[in-house]
Amino acid sequence: MKIIQAQIRGLVKKYGKVVAINGLDLDINKGEMLSIVGPSGCGKSTLLSCIAGLEKPNDGEIAIDDELVFSTDRNCFKSPDKRQIGFVFQNYALWPHKSVFENVAYPLRIRKKCKYLIKNEVERALSIVRLLGKERQYPYELSGGQQQRVALARALIMKPKLLLLDEPLSNLDAKLREDMQYEIKRIQKDMEITIIHVTHDQYEAMGISDRIAVMNRGKLIQVGTPKELYEHPKTEFVAKFIGKTNIIHSHVTEENGCSKLALFEHVFIEDRYTTANIGEKVILSIRPEDISLRKEKGMGKGKIRRMFYRGNVIEYTICIENKELKVQTSPKEEYKIGEEVWIHIHQIKGVKN
């Protein structure tokens, strides 16, 4: 049975007339890595700030370990230092004039802890992030990944109930970003800590998350495991945001007593994918890898307009009846731009608007 570590109910945050968070409900399970994703301005960083106590919401409730930290009905608002939360900012927020040791020790120093405790706890935190031996160095002497781990160590030193990460990898190059994804996941599993991770990078979220919460315009659209969101998106927005897809606005027609989906003007497929009635409009999501290309006759005929070689896959754009379809194949299946091919569709998902 999963234990809920944090609970958010009816959360609203406004900036003047702008509604950044609009009546949001969310449960965060103990020990999980929950990533919050969405386009810029969707409210994901504002949500993190509200959980941390850096922003005061206009309405709703936030509870951590069944203890209210914010409630409009009960007139409750606990300051950040009373919430036992660790926070890693996008720019790391390290003191440039302080050593690694002093940066990590800072939360303990302002609480006037004894020198012996500070020394032991700094060593423990640096050991977790694998930076022992770097205590006397300064931020400018470290790589981007090492600076990020110093910020992590500082956030972990107070043994927080929740660790909040606000786009912590966005300033790193691609290779370092991938390495740090493994590092954050390792720390989460080793410490069994609950992490709420905000990112605009869907692939980053899919790689390290136990669950992903998709936001848009201040609302929570869908929450689920990476596999659930990718294979069973509930809406067109989620289908397009999590991975690549082809969206087709179609309708259900009838042929010889059988329900069929009109993919294109002259391309129809038996409707085994929706519960729509004859004549109803539907929105279909077709992943590029669920389409194969062949030279022999198939569902529909098109012409290759564009090709991108990605190493492990080739991405094609196929033009069918003046509409474009993205297709992803093995690099062993190579076609030329301008070549005519037949498409075969293996999987379709019906989604809502």
Side-chain angles (χ1 to χ4, degrees), residues 165-177:
L165 309 178
D166 190 5
E167 303 208 33
L169 310 181
S170 60
N171 293 330
L172 304 179
D173 62 47
K175 179 64 173 67
L176 205 49
R177 189 159 59 242

Side-chain angles (χ1 to χ4, degrees), residues 203 244 289 308-316 327-334:
Y203 296 106
K244 296 179 180 179
E289 65 272 21
F308 291 100
Y309 179 76
R310 304 290 190 188
N312 59 330
V313 296
I314 298 178
E315 295 175 359
Y316 293 100
V327 180
Q328 184 175 291
T329 72
S330 162
K332 294 177 182 178
E333 303 174 41
E334 192 168 349

Side-chain angles (χ1 to χ4, degrees), residues 173-184:
D173 62 47
K175 179 64 173 67
L176 205 49
R177 189 159 59 242
E178 185 176 337
D179 291 344
M180 285 308 303
Q181 288 176 28
Y182 289 116
E183 194 71 5
I184 290 171

Side-chain angles (χ1 to χ4, degrees), residues 233-272:
K234 291 181 179 178
T235 68
E236 178 181 348
F237 177 83
V238 174
K240 289 195 293 188
F241 197 84
I242 301 295
K244 296 179 180 179
T245 195
N246 298 284
I247 295 294
I248 296 177
H249 291 256
S250 178
H251 64 276
V252 182
T253 187
E254 186 179 10
E255 185 179 303
N256 299 324
C258 178
S259 293
K260 293 205 170 183
L261 295 169
L263 300 183
F264 303 98
E265 189 176 345
H266 299 101
V267 179
F268 299 87
I269 186 172
E270 184 181 347
D271 186 8
R272 295 181 284 111

Side-chain angles (χ1 to χ4, degrees), residues 293 295 302-309 314-319 333-341:
L293 301 179
K295 293 184 178 180
K303 184 177 288 188
I304 294 175
R305 176 171 288 181
R306 288 187 293 272
M307 181 189 82
F308 291 100
Y309 179 76
I314 298 178
E315 295 175 359
Y316 293 100
T317 300
I318 313 297
C319 184
E333 303 174 41
E334 192 168 349
Y335 301 91
K336 297 177 181 179
I337 293 175
E339 187 174 352
E340 290 189 337
V341 291

